[in-house]
Amino acid sequence: MDYIILLHSLFFTLAFADKESQKKTQNLSSNKASPKRLKRDWIWNQMHIKEEIDAPLPHHVGKITSSVRNSNAKYIIEGEYANTIFQVQGNSGDVYAFERLDREKKAEYELTALIIDKRNNQSLEPPSKFIIKVYDINDNVPVFVQKVFNGSVPEMSPVGTSVTKVTAVDADDPTVSGHATVSYQVIKGDEYFSIDDSGVIFTTRPDLDRETQSRYEIIVKAKDGPGTSGDSSTATVVITLSDINDNFPVFKHSSFHFKVPENISVGGEVGRVKVEDVDEPQHRNTKYSFVRGDYRDTFEIVANPYTNEGNIRPKKPLDFEKVAEYRFDIEATDPTVDLRYFKSGGSRSISTVTIEVTDVDEPPVFTKLPYEFKVMENDPEVRTLGPVWAHDPDAAKRKIRFIRRKASPNGDYIRVSDTGIIQLPKPLDREFSSSYNITVAAQEILEDGRLSDRESHAQVHVIVGDENDNAPELVYPEEPRVCENAAPGKLIVRISATDKDELSPRGFFKFSLATEDSNFSLIENYDNTANITVKYGQFNRELAKIHYLPVIISDNGVPELSSTNTLVISVCKCNEKGNFTFCEERAKQVGVSIQALVAIFICIFTIIVLFAVLAMLLLLRKRHKKDLSGLGRSVAEIHEQLVRYDEEGGGEMDTTSYDVSVLNSVRKNGMKPEAAPSPYAQVQKPPGNMTSGAGEMETMIEEKKSEADNDRDLLPYDTLHIYGYEGAESIAESLSSLQSSSSDSDVDYDFLNDWGPRFKMLAELYGSEPSEDFVY
C-alpha cells in the first residue's frame, strides 16, 4: 500500500513539474522583449497518511518542494500542530509525523509551508497552506447509544409487531465501504423477539401472555466489517407486555351467605360478592346479573368500579313475616373482553347467594297514605275529620296509640285522639291559615301498658275551604288631592279594594258612593278598580279644604258583603298648569275595627274610675284636716322648731326670735304640761326609777302600737310612724318644743344653771328680762 502511495506521489510531482516548466517556457518566449522577474511556485507531494500505523516513529507523510533554486534555501512549517506532531526536514522538505494519528480524533491537519534564506531568515517565496489528510482504517467497534433500552408491546400481539428500536454508532469513516456499516443480532431472547439491520425489534410469537410473563430482558449485538480491534458490542433491552382485556372475572367462592335485619333501609348494603380478574384494574369491567331466582325486583347488585366487588342492595323493604330467606344464583361477566384472545375455560362464572332475614321489632306501619282532609271554615258542626290507620307489622300484632307531634301553624287547632281520630276543637279560620299540617306518631302498646320507644310518623294535611265572611276593604291611595279650580270630569284618583276571602267567581268588586250630594263622581273600571272624578268643578277652599267621601264596596259573594270606607280628599291651590302649589297637611285616615273601638272604650272607662277614686281620697283628706283644725291648736303651734346647738355650749349666738315657751315642758321638779289634743304621738318616758335596757324599749314599742291602734282620727290606710326615744338616762328629759305653752309663761328657769356649763347660754336667755340687752 505504501508503494502505491509513493508511485502516485511521484506521478503527480512529475506532472506538476512538467506543467510548470511549460508555463515558464511560455512566459520566457512571450516576454523576450521586456525581461521580468520570474514567478516561482511551490511544488510538493500530496499529503496523506494512514491512522494508527504499526511502524516505528517517525512516519513519513510527504514532501514539500519549491521551484526556487538557492543553495541557502531552508524549508519550515507553521501551524497548530507544526513542530509537535509534524516536523519538516529543512534541506529536503520531507514532512514526518512524530505521533500515531487517530482519524476519529482528527481527520485533517492544516499547516503552512515557508522557504527562507537561512542566512538572513528572509522569505524566498510567499507562504503556502497545505492539508494533511488521515486515512481511515476499521479500528472502531459499533457502540450503542445507551446501555439499556426499554420497550413495550401489547400482549397477544401478532408476529412482526414492532416493540422498540435500538441504535449503535460506529466512529469509523462512513465513506469507506464496510467501515461504518452496523448490523444487529439478538443473542438472548431470540425465541420471542428478533431485530432487523435498522435496529427495530419485533415479536416472533403470537402468544405472549402478560398473565404468564409480563417482562422480558433480551441482549442484542451490534457489529460491522472486520477490523483491527473487535467487531461487535452488546446492549440490554427490557421489554414489558402491556395488558389487554382478555380474561373474564371468576368468583372467589362458589356460594355466599349473608344475614340482614328486616328493617334494613332500601339501598342499604346486604353484603359483597368478590371476583378475581387477573387483568389490570383499567380492564376490569365486571357485570353482575341474576341467573336463577325470582328476586330481581327485590335486590340489585351494583359493581364497585374501584374494588370490582358486587354490592347487594335491597330495592324494597324486607319483611321477615313474609319471606325469611332468599336464595338465588348470580353470574359475573365482562362484556368488554376481546374475544379474539379468549382463553379456554369458559366465560361464565356462577355463584349461589343466600340471604337470611332476621326478625326485629318494627314500628307501626301507616296505611292509606296520604292523609288529607277538607273542611269549610267557621263550621261549628264539624268536630271530626276522619281517622288515620296504622298496624303492628310483627307477629305480636300489638295495639296502636296515636300522638300528635308537630303542628303547622303551631297551636291547638288540630287534635288526634288515642285511636287516631282527627278532631277539631274549634272551627277553623281560612283567613288565619288556608291549610293546617300535623305530624301524627304511632306507637305500639306493650304488654305491660307502656308505650314502645319505636314509633313511625305520618303527615296529616287539612285544607280549609273559604266562605264569604269578610267584607272588601279600600286600598287607600297616598293623599288624594284635587285643584280648587278643577274642571268637571277631572280624574282625582283611582281606587282599588282587597278582600281577605277568595275572589268571587261571579265577578269583580262593586264600587259606589254612599251619597250623591257631593262634587265627586265614581266610575267603575270593572277590573277591581274605580275612578274618582270631579262632578261639577270649582271647589271652594274657604268652605272646605278637606272632603270626606264615603265609598261603598261590595264583593258579589254569597252572601254579599260590603263595607263603607272614607276617602279623604284635599283641595289644594294649583298654578295655571294644574300643578299643586299648596295643600294643608292632614293626618292619614285609617279605618278602626270594632275590636279597637271596644279597647278604646275600656281604657276610657278605666281612666274615669281612677279619677273618681282619687277625688274621693282628696275629699277624705280635706275632711281630716278640718277635724284637726278643731282640736284647739293651730297648725303652726304643732310644728316643731328646730334649733341647732353646739355641744361645747356657751358660744352659740341664738336667734332672738326663738320662742322661750318651747322649754316649758322641761322642769327640774318634774311638772307636766297640760294635756292638749295633738296629731303627733307623744313620747311617754317611763318612771325615773326604771333602768334602761331591752325591757324599756319593748314597753315603749307596745305603748306606741296601742296608741296607733286606738287612734280613730287617722286616715283609713296604712301609715308610717317614726318615733325618737333617747332612753331614761338623760337628766334633761325632752327638749322638744311640742306641747310647749305660749311665751307668756312665768316659769322660773333658774334650774338651768344647775345643769352645768353646757346649758349656761340657755339659763342666761331664759333667766334675763326681755328688755335687757346682751353683749356678744
Side-chain angles (χ1 to χ4, degrees):
M1 188 70 180
D2 295 336
Y3 295 106
I4 297 175
I5 294 174
L6 293 177
L7 290 175
H8 277 283
S9 300
L10 179 61
F11 174 77
F12 283 115
T13 301
L14 294 176
F16 182 80
D18 182 65
K19 186 175 181 181
E20 290 296 326
S21 62
Q22 291 178 2
K23 286 182 179 180
K24 289 180 181 180
T25 304
Q26 291 176 358
N27 291 333
L28 290 175
S29 61
S30 62
N31 295 318
K32 287 182 179 180
S34 58
K36 292 183 180 180
R37 182 176 180 273
L38 295 177
K39 181 181 179 182
R40 298 166 182 160
D41 292 328
W42 286 94
I43 302 172
W44 59 72
N45 295 331
Q46 295 293 324
M47 302 298 180
H48 298 278
I49 186 173
K50 291 194 302 180
E51 64 172 337
E52 302 293 345
I53 297 177
D54 188 13
L57 293 173
H59 300 152
H60 187 265
V61 178
K63 185 174 183 178
I64 56 176
T65 305
S66 175
S67 58
V68 174
R69 298 290 181 262
N70 189 333
S71 60
N72 295 320
K74 180 182 178 181
Y75 295 97
I76 62 174
I77 59 175
E78 295 181 350
E80 180 181 1
Y81 301 97
N83 303 317
T84 55
I85 297 178
F86 300 100
Q87 294 183 15
V88 62
Q89 192 172 10
N91 296 327
S92 63
D94 291 319
V95 179
Y96 293 90
F98 285 79
E99 292 183 8
R100 287 184 174 82
L101 304 181
D102 188 354
R103 193 202 66 85
E104 285 71 41
K105 291 182 179 180
K106 192 170 181 64
E108 292 182 352
Y109 296 88
E110 183 176 333
L111 300 174
T112 303
L114 298 93
I115 184 170
I116 61 175
D117 190 338
K118 58 185 177 181
R119 293 173 299 180
N120 53 17
N121 292 331
Q122 295 293 324
S123 295
L124 300 178
E125 288 292 338
S128 176
K129 295 182 179 298
F130 65 97
I131 295 175
I132 299 175
K133 292 186 177 181
V134 182
Y135 282 157
D136 179 56
I137 61 174
N138 192 11
D139 60 341
N140 289 280
V141 178
V143 178
F144 285 98
V145 295
Q146 59 194 64
K147 292 294 183 180
V148 178
F149 294 86
N150 292 284
S152 177
V153 64
E155 63 173 331
M156 311 301 289
S157 296
V159 174
T161 302
S162 174
V163 178
T164 187
K165 183 178 181 180
V166 297
T167 303
V169 178
D170 195 333
D172 291 325
D173 190 355
T175 61
V176 180
S177 177
H179 283 198
T181 302
V182 181
S183 60
Y184 301 94
Q185 179 184 359
V186 177
I187 61 176
K188 178 184 177 182
D190 56 340
E191 66 271 26
Y192 305 110
F193 303 95
S194 181
I195 189 170
D196 59 14
D197 291 338
S198 63
V200 176
I201 299 175
F202 53 88
T203 60
T204 58
R205 295 181 58 174
D207 57 349
L208 297 178
D209 190 358
R210 187 195 69 86
E211 288 73 34
T212 303
Q213 183 177 349
S214 61
R215 184 175 182 272
Y216 294 86
E217 188 173 303
I218 65 174
I219 297 177
V220 295
K221 182 176 69 172
K223 63 178 181 178
D224 62 357
T228 60
S229 59
D231 60 354
S232 66
S233 63
T234 60
T236 301
V237 181
V238 178
I239 300 174
T240 302
L241 297 184
S242 59
D243 183 54
I244 64 172
N245 193 5
D246 60 341
N247 293 277
F248 286 94
V250 178
F251 282 109
K252 291 186 176 181
H253 305 285
S254 60
S255 63
F256 296 90
H257 186 273
F258 304 104
K259 280 188 178 182
V260 61
E262 63 175 335
N263 62 347
I264 184 174
S265 60
V266 174
E269 182 177 322
V270 174
R272 299 181 182 181
V273 293
K274 298 181 179 181
V275 295
E276 183 178 6
D277 192 337
V278 295
D279 289 326
E280 292 185 349
Q282 69 271 19
H283 292 139
R284 297 171 186 171
N285 188 24
T286 303
K287 300 297 181 182
Y288 298 90
S289 59
F290 294 90
V291 179
R292 288 182 294 273
D294 299 329
Y295 302 117
R296 292 180 178 85
D297 59 340
T298 306
F299 298 98
E300 63 178 351
I301 306 177
V302 180
N304 188 322
Y306 301 103
T307 63
N308 212 33
E309 297 174 330
N311 189 356
I312 302 177
R313 302 174 181 175
K315 296 170 62 177
K316 63 182 182 180
L318 305 182
D319 191 348
F320 171 80
E321 286 71 27
K322 293 182 179 179
V323 180
E325 184 179 272
Y326 297 87
R327 185 184 298 271
F328 48 84
D329 292 340
I330 59 174
E331 180 183 10
T333 59
D334 188 348
T336 61
V337 169
D338 193 341
L339 297 180
R340 294 177 301 171
Y341 311 113
F342 170 67
K343 300 180 179 65
S344 60
S347 62
R348 293 167 60 89
S349 179
I350 298 175
S351 182
T352 301
V353 177
T354 302
I355 300 176
E356 181 181 348
V357 182
T358 59
D359 188 24
V360 295
D361 186 12
E362 299 175 275
V365 177
F366 280 94
T367 56
K368 300 182 180 179
L369 294 172
Y371 295 103
E372 183 175 289
F373 302 96
K374 294 183 179 180
V375 62
M376 293 298 296
E377 67 172 329
N378 304 323
D379 191 346
E381 297 182 357
V382 178
R383 286 291 180 263
T384 60
L385 298 180
V388 293
W389 300 92
H391 68 279
D392 182 8
D394 297 321
K397 302 299 179 186
R398 299 187 181 102
K399 293 182 179 180
I400 307 300
R401 179 173 294 176
F402 299 90
I403 304 171
R404 195 190 78 165
R405 290 299 186 201
K406 297 179 181 178
S408 176
N410 192 18
D412 188 22
Y413 303 105
I414 309 293
R415 296 177 181 173
V416 59
S417 67
D418 293 345
T419 59
I421 304 300
I422 305 300
Q423 301 171 340
L424 297 180
K426 59 183 179 181
L428 301 179
D429 185 5
R430 193 202 71 86
E431 284 68 45
F432 174 73
S433 180
S434 61
S435 63
Y436 295 80
N437 299 285
I438 63 171
T439 301
V440 178
Q443 291 180 299
E444 298 176 5
I445 303 176
L446 303 178
E447 287 74 8
D448 56 0
R450 295 183 298 107
L451 295 178
S452 172
D453 57 352
R454 300 179 63 82
E455 62 180 43
S456 56
H457 302 88
Q459 301 296 323
V460 177
H461 184 54
V462 178
I463 300 175
V464 183
D466 181 50
E467 70 171 2
N468 195 25
D469 58 343
N470 292 277
E473 298 176 356
L474 178 67
V475 178
Y476 287 91
E478 288 192 19
E479 299 184 5
R481 298 179 293 179
V482 62
C483 293
E484 61 179 342
N485 57 353
K490 174 66 176 180
L491 176 64
I492 300 175
V493 68
R494 173 173 290 185
I495 60 175
S496 61
T498 182
D499 195 336
K500 296 180 181 178
D501 295 321
E502 294 179 354
L503 185 63
S504 172
R506 300 197 304 168
F508 301 98
F509 297 128
K510 292 191 299 184
F511 299 86
S512 62
L513 298 179
T515 176
E516 298 294 334
D517 188 15
S518 66
N519 196 14
F520 302 96
S521 61
L522 185 147
I523 303 174
E524 290 200 55
N525 297 322
Y526 301 102
D527 60 353
N528 284 336
T529 64
N531 294 337
I532 302 298
T533 60
V534 179
K535 188 174 183 180
Y536 304 112
Q538 295 297 326
F539 293 90
N540 190 348
R541 281 175 48 85
E542 301 298 330
L543 296 178
K545 298 179 181 178
I546 296 178
H547 292 264
Y548 299 92
L549 183 64
V551 179
I552 301 174
I553 307 174
S554 59
D555 59 6
N556 288 321
V558 180
E560 184 175 276
L561 298 179
S562 63
S563 65
T564 301
N565 305 264
T566 301
L567 187 64
V568 181
I569 302 176
S570 299
V571 179
C572 304
K573 294 182 180 180
C574 299
N575 55 21
E576 295 179 355
K577 297 182 179 180
N579 299 324
F580 298 108
T581 59
F582 178 76
C583 293
E584 279 75 15
E585 294 186 359
R586 56 181 176 81
K588 188 175 181 180
Q589 302 295 319
V590 295
V592 181
S593 63
I594 297 177
Q595 295 84 350
L597 291 175
V598 172
I600 293 173
F601 286 137
I602 292 175
C603 293
I604 295 174
F605 178 75
T606 304
I607 293 173
I608 294 174
V609 171
L610 290 176
F611 274 112
V613 172
L614 291 176
M616 184 178 296
L617 292 176
L618 291 174
L619 181 61
L620 291 175
R621 185 177 181 85
K622 288 181 179 180
R623 181 177 297 175
H624 180 66
K625 287 184 177 181
K626 185 177 182 182
D627 294 341
L628 291 177
S629 64
L631 295 178
R633 179 176 292 188
S634 64
V635 177
E637 290 179 348
I638 66 176
H639 286 171
E640 180 179 5
Q641 298 187 27
L642 301 178
V643 181
R644 188 171 179 148
Y645 297 97
D646 192 290
E647 289 185 358
E648 299 297 329
E652 301 86 345
M653 304 302 292
D654 294 334
T655 177
T656 58
S657 63
Y658 188 82
D659 189 359
V660 180
S661 64
V662 297
L663 297 177
N664 66 348
S665 63
V666 184
R667 293 180 176 88
K668 184 176 182 181
N669 54 6
M671 295 176 60
K672 301 294 181 181
E674 295 180 359
S678 174
Y680 297 98
Q682 299 180 8
V683 177
Q684 300 294 332
K685 280 180 176 284
N689 57 356
M690 293 183 64
T691 61
S692 177
E696 180 184 79
M697 182 64 69
E698 182 178 359
T699 302
M700 185 273 293
I701 294 175
E702 291 296 332
E703 288 178 0
K704 298 308 172 185
K705 179 177 180 296
S706 178
E707 290 177 6
D709 292 339
N710 297 325
D711 190 355
R712 296 183 179 181
D713 295 332
L714 294 176
L715 295 177
Y717 50 78
D718 294 339
T719 59
L720 177 65
H721 294 268
I722 301 175
Y723 302 100
Y725 178 61
E726 62 185 18
E729 297 299 328
S730 176
I731 61 175
E733 297 184 354
S734 176
L735 297 180
S736 175
S737 62
L738 296 176
Q739 298 183 2
S740 299
S741 61
S742 65
S743 62
D744 296 334
S745 173
D746 54 356
V747 179
D748 186 7
Y749 291 98
D750 293 337
F751 63 89
L752 293 175
N753 294 319
D754 300 332
W755 286 8
R758 293 191 178 188
F759 295 91
K760 181 178 181 181
M761 179 62 71
L762 290 177
E764 292 176 356
L765 289 173
Y766 286 93
S768 303
E769 295 297 330
S771 61
E772 184 178 355
D773 295 332
F774 294 94
V775 179
Y776 296 94

